[in-house]
Each structure stands twice: as C-alpha cells, then as structure tokens.
Amino acid sequence: MNVIKKIQPLPFMLLLVLFVACGTPGAPQPPSLNIPKPITDLAAVRKGDTVTLSWTAPEETTDGTSVRHSGRMIVRRTVSDGGAAKVVGEVPLVLAHKTQEAPVKSLKDSVGDLVTSASVDFVRYTVEAVNNSGKSAGQSNQAVVPLVLTPVPPKDIQVKPVPQGVSISWQQNWLPKKHTSLSTQYVYRIMRRAGSNQRPVMVKQLSAGGESTLVIDTGIEWEKQYQYWVIPVTLWQKDEQEKGEVEGDDSTIVTLTTLDKFPPAVPSGLQAVFTQAGQKSFIDLSWTASMDSDLAGYNVYRS
C-alpha cells in the first residue's frame, strides 16, 4: 500500500522568497576620504590695525558625505608684492552635530607692521580646511584688505549743550602720510547713541584737516542722555572698480545729558495798534511766533 505524503505549502513559499531576495550584490562603494569641501565665503573687515576674518566651516566632504572626523582650518596671509604665504592662525574643524557649535568661525590678525611698509598696498587671506590626515580640497576664496594708513582718533572731545542742540568739538591731528599707488582721502564720522543698547547713528561726516572742528548736533531730544564718539576713516581708490574704506580706531566715548537750560528765542516783530469800538479802547499786539519746540507760552508786559 503506497502512502502519499502531502507537501506543506508554507515552508516551500518561504524558501522561494529567500531565493528571490538573494539577488546579485551591487558594486562596492569606496570609503569616504573625509576631505572637507573648500571654504567659499571667506570675508575680511579691517578696523585700525586689526583684520577680522570670518567664514563658514564646512560640514560636508568632497564626496557628499558629512564630515565624520575632526580636522583644522589654516589661515594664511600673502602680501601684494608676491611673497610667500604666511600662516597667521589655525581654528579647529570640529563636528558641528557633536558640539552644537555655530558653523561661522572667526579669527583676528594684526597688520600694524605691514601698514607702515611703503611697498605694500594690499594683503590677501585664504583659509584651507584639512582633515585629520592633512588632506584638503584646496584653498578658499581670497579676501583682500587694503593697507592704507588711518588717522589717529581725536582726543579731548568736548561736548556741551547749546541752544541749537549739542556742540561737539576737538583738535584735529596731523594726517598720516605714506607713498602708495592708492588714492586716499581722510574723513571723520561723528557718531551718537542714546544709551549703550541703542543702535548708533552718524551725526555728520566731514573732511579731515589740520584745524579745530566744531559740529552742532540738532537732532537730539532734551532731557536725554547721549554718547558721542568720533571715527577716523580712510577712503581709498585704485581705479573705478576697486575702491572702499577703512575705519580707524574709535575715539573715547563721551557721555552727555541734554539739560535744557536755554529759554526760547526772544519774540521779534512786535507791533502795537490802537483801536476803538464805541466807548471802549484797545491796543492790538502782534509779533512773529517763536519756532522753538519747547515753547510753553508768552508773558506780555505793559508799562
């Protein structure tokens, strides 16, 4: 007697699925070299003899993956006479997702020794991001800074309230001299701020000279406290396309409270005309109204 065994369908189907799932494997992907992408947004701002550099640290590698290992960012400086690049600083390249650090980095460099050099007009900066093996994808964009001289900030700034507003005066210093191919012009900017947390505004900009200077700030409000300081600025130009400005160091800040101790202007154009209506006599008075904003009224006198 023959016994026929039935094949259970479930194990058979499972075996078929496993056979179909085991397809041909794809080409193996090479491991990432972890080379950071080049920096492309390097910027430089000079104030006085200090240059502040800022840029965004790379978070991706050249093959499109995230930077997985720490490295460093090397800042180099080259003068315009074609000399060799000099390393002026390094900033660690840290993984942002581990440290929660801001991707924008900065570094300060002093150029006081280069500013006084007669043969140098510009200095150029680059940043190179390298991995922990010392490999990189190249230098960043160049940030160019002019090496023009800036005037010394004025000293002994005098501020006081006057009927028109606030008087600002100081004794100007001698202007700097340097043999350069750049065309330069020197100006002073008078700055004002209502409190240390307020945004400063420029009161006036005037050309620098060798004499004392007096400026009246008419945009103030009475019974308020203000801070004043002066910024020397060098306007430079090489040609129509290449020009800019460099701010010098700020002067000392002077604080003033605008106490209104000044009466309104004396009325002018006073006229008196006699009139009579019936049995009553009058003298009509008229004058030119005062335009002072703090005018409260008039006292009229007769003798």
Side-chain angles (χ1 to χ4, degrees), residues 110-164:
S110 176
V111 293
D113 57 333
L114 298 175
V115 169
T116 56
S117 176
S119 60
V120 179
D121 289 335
F122 294 97
V123 64
R124 292 172 169 80
Y125 291 92
T126 58
V127 180
E128 182 183 16
V130 300
N131 62 12
N132 54 354
S133 300
K135 296 180 180 180
S136 77
Q139 304 285 341
S140 70
N141 61 299
Q142 284 192 351
V144 182
V145 176
L147 295 176
V148 293
L149 292 173
T150 56
V152 177
K155 298 180 180 180
D156 301 325
I157 298 176
Q158 304 293 325
V159 294
K160 61 180 181 179
V162 293
Q164 300 85 359

Side-chain angles (χ1 to χ4, degrees), residues 36 47 127 197 202 219 224 246 250 263:
K47 185 170 179 63
V127 180
N197 297 327
M202 184 175 69
K224 290 188 66 175
V246 175
D250 296 351

Side-chain angles (χ1 to χ4, degrees), residues 33-53:
L33 297 178
N34 195 52
I35 300 177
K37 284 186 175 181
I39 296 166
T40 59
D41 62 346
L42 176 64
V45 177
R46 179 187 160 198
K47 185 170 179 63
D49 291 341
T50 301
V51 176
T52 301
L53 303 163

Side-chain angles (χ1 to χ4, degrees), residues 55-73:
W55 67 91
T56 303
E59 297 182 339
E60 292 186 355
T61 64
T62 53
D63 46 23
T65 61
S66 299
V67 175
R68 300 184 181 277
H69 301 283
S70 300
R72 55 200 176 108
M73 293 171 284

Side-chain angles (χ1 to χ4, degrees), residues 260-281:
D260 187 4
K261 302 178 181 179
F262 310 100
V266 177
S268 61
L270 177 63
Q271 294 183 352
V273 177
F274 172 80
T275 59
Q276 188 173 9
Q279 299 297 321
K280 294 184 178 181
S281 300

